Amino acid sequence: MVVIGDGSGSGFLFQSKGNCFVVLPTHLHGIRFEGIQITEPGGNRIGTAKILYKASDNADLSVGLVRGSITADCGPEWSGLPRRLSQSLKVGMPVTMRRARQASTEGRQVVIRTLTFQQIEIAPEGNEEADLFGGTSGAFLFDGDKPVGMVTDAANAGQAWALRMDEIVNRVSRIMGEMQEGDPCADPTMPGCESGGALPEAATEGKAIEVTSWSVHPVEGTADPTQMLLGQGAYVAPLTASTPIVLELTLPEDDRLRRITILSKPDDAASVPRGIEISTDATDGAVRRPSPFPSYEMSPDGIYDVKVQERFVKRLTIKITSTWGGGSPARIDSIVVE
C-alpha cells in the first residue's frame, strides 16, 4: 500500500514485465493526470504516477504508471491478481482492510455485509473502531494475502463500499493486453495521447553503435534505422503478428554493455512498442551464440530502460513484437547502449 498525495487516500502497486503501476480511486487525483505524488508509508521511498486509464462510467477507478524510487518494491505481479472471486467471497466473512498512512500501514478487521457482481459493502467487525472515513479511499481489502477489493466510498464511519478486485482486473485488462486489443488513445483527452512534446527522460548518450540490418522498411517520409541513430528522425515501420521488426546492431569500439535504452515518442500516426525481445552475442563470426536479455516491456509512455550486469557484446538483436493498443506502424526515436 502507498500514500496518495498528501494523505487523502491509498493506492495499490503491482508490476508487469518491468513496469510498475498503481491502482487508485479516480477521485483521489481528480482532474490531475500527471505528477501525482506517491509515498511509501514512512517516507523512505517516493515517486509519481501518470494516469493511463480512467473508468469511463461511474466506477471510481484509475490506473497510473509509476516512476521513482518507490518502484524498487512494486508489489505483486499482474498475472497473479485474482480474476474470479465469486467462489471465495461470502456475505458475513471477515476480511482485513489495509490503508496507508504517512507513518505506517493500518490494518482493520471488517466484515462483508453485502455482495454484488461489482461491489462489496463492509462494516467494522466486532469491537473494531468505527472509523471508515477520512482517508479510507483507496484502502484495500485482503483475504489473507489475496487482494479482494478497493474501498471507493465511505458512507459513514460504520459503512463503506469497495470495488471487487476481479472487477478491477477485468476493467484494467484491456490496457494490460489480456483481452481484446483496443486503442488506449481512442479518447484523445487521455494523458500520453497528445501529439508533440518532449521525449521521455532516459539515457540520451552512449556507446558508438551501428545498425547492420533491419527487417522492415520505414514508412514513406520517415528515417531508416541508420538515420535514426544519427538523430535524423524517428524510425517508423509496419508491424504485424507474423512480421516483427528486427534490428541487428554492432558495437564496433567498446564491447562491454550494461544498459539499453529505447525511446518512443507518443504520436497520432504511430504506436508505442510494447513487446521487445533483445539478445546479445559475444561473437562476431558466422556462428551465432545469442544470449537473451531480461524480458521486459516498453512502458506505455515510451521508455524501455534496462540495466544488466556488465557483459561482453559484439552484436545486438532487437525484436519488436507488439505495440500498446495493437496498432501499426510502430515508432522508435532512439536507441542508446551504455
Side-chain angles (χ1 to χ4, degrees):
M1 301 300 301
V2 293
V3 179
I4 303 298
D6 59 359
S8 57
S10 305
F12 178 81
L13 299 181
F14 69 91
Q15 57 187 302
S16 177
K17 298 183 179 178
N19 291 309
C20 183
F21 301 88
V22 62
V23 177
L24 71 161
T26 298
H27 76 263
L28 290 184
H29 65 80
I31 63 173
R32 187 173 184 178
F33 282 78
E34 297 194 48
I36 299 160
Q37 295 182 359
I38 299 177
T39 308
E40 184 182 53
N44 295 323
R45 297 189 180 100
I46 62 174
T48 60
K50 175 180 180 179
I51 301 301
L52 301 176
Y53 168 85
K54 180 177 76 71
S56 58
D57 56 11
N58 291 326
D60 196 358
L61 171 65
S62 291
V63 176
L65 177 68
V66 179
R67 299 290 188 199
S69 61
I70 202 165
T71 61
D73 185 12
C74 193
E77 283 283 346
W78 163 257
S79 60
L81 297 179
R83 269 66 180 163
R84 187 175 182 181
L85 292 170
S86 297
Q87 300 302 314
S88 56
L89 294 179
K90 306 292 181 184
V91 173
M93 73 177 285
V95 292
T96 302
M97 183 188 76
R98 299 177 191 167
R99 56 187 173 191
R101 299 301 199 194
Q102 296 291 356
S104 63
T105 300
E106 290 182 345
R108 289 284 188 275
Q109 293 303 118
V110 296
V111 63
I112 296 176
R113 293 176 52 176
T114 306
L115 273 174
T116 72
F117 288 114
Q118 297 181 336
Q119 292 186 305
I120 305 169
E121 182 193 4
I122 59 169
E125 182 184 32
N127 296 324
E128 286 281 349
E129 182 181 358
D131 63 350
L132 304 182
F133 58 86
T136 302
S137 292
F140 260 72
L141 308 180
F142 289 84
D143 178 15
D145 292 330
K146 179 171 65 178
V148 296
M150 178 182 72
V151 176
T152 58
D153 177 49
N156 54 61
Q159 179 190 33
W161 286 90
L163 192 62
R164 285 172 48 151
M165 194 66 195
D166 49 356
E167 175 68 9
I168 292 173
V169 170
N170 180 60
R171 287 172 174 266
V172 176
S173 58
R174 182 175 69 86
I175 194 171
M176 299 304 297
E178 288 198 359
M179 293 174 66
Q180 71 275 9
E181 292 289 0
D183 182 3
C185 290
D187 179 357
T189 65
M190 285 300 288
C193 297
E194 309 87 352
S195 300
L199 283 171
E201 293 184 4
T204 55
E205 296 183 2
K207 301 178 183 298
I209 55 176
E210 295 180 359
V211 180
T212 57
S213 68
W214 54 93
S215 64
V216 183
H217 289 299
V219 300
E220 186 176 356
T222 66
D224 66 32
T226 299
Q227 294 168 320
M228 178 265 294
L229 288 184
L230 295 174
Q232 297 175 1
Y235 170 53
V236 182
L239 174 68
T240 66
S242 59
T243 309
I245 298 171
V246 182
L247 306 178
E248 296 277 355
L249 303 96
T250 59
L251 283 66
E253 296 180 2
D254 190 340
D255 56 6
R256 290 173 296 176
L257 180 150
R258 61 182 181 85
R259 182 183 185 187
I260 297 177
T261 302
I262 306 172
L263 299 181
S264 176
K265 180 180 177 181
D267 183 276
D268 289 339
S271 299
V272 172
R274 180 175 183 172
I276 296 180
E277 299 174 6
I278 295 181
S279 62
T280 61
D281 196 329
T283 67
D284 55 6
V287 178
R288 298 292 183 105
R289 295 185 176 86
S291 175
F293 222 58
S295 180
Y296 292 142
E297 291 181 341
M298 178 173 279
S299 66
D301 61 348
I303 301 176
Y304 176 95
D305 191 14
V306 177
K307 298 177 182 178
V308 294
Q309 185 173 1
E310 188 173 84
R311 61 174 70 182
F312 290 98
V313 173
K314 292 290 187 180
R315 294 183 290 205
L316 186 67
T317 301
I318 299 174
K319 179 188 291 187
I320 299 173
T321 59
S322 63
T323 61
W324 286 95
S328 176
R331 173 174 176 145
I332 303 176
D333 284 85
S334 69
I335 300 173
V336 177
V337 174
E338 298 182 64

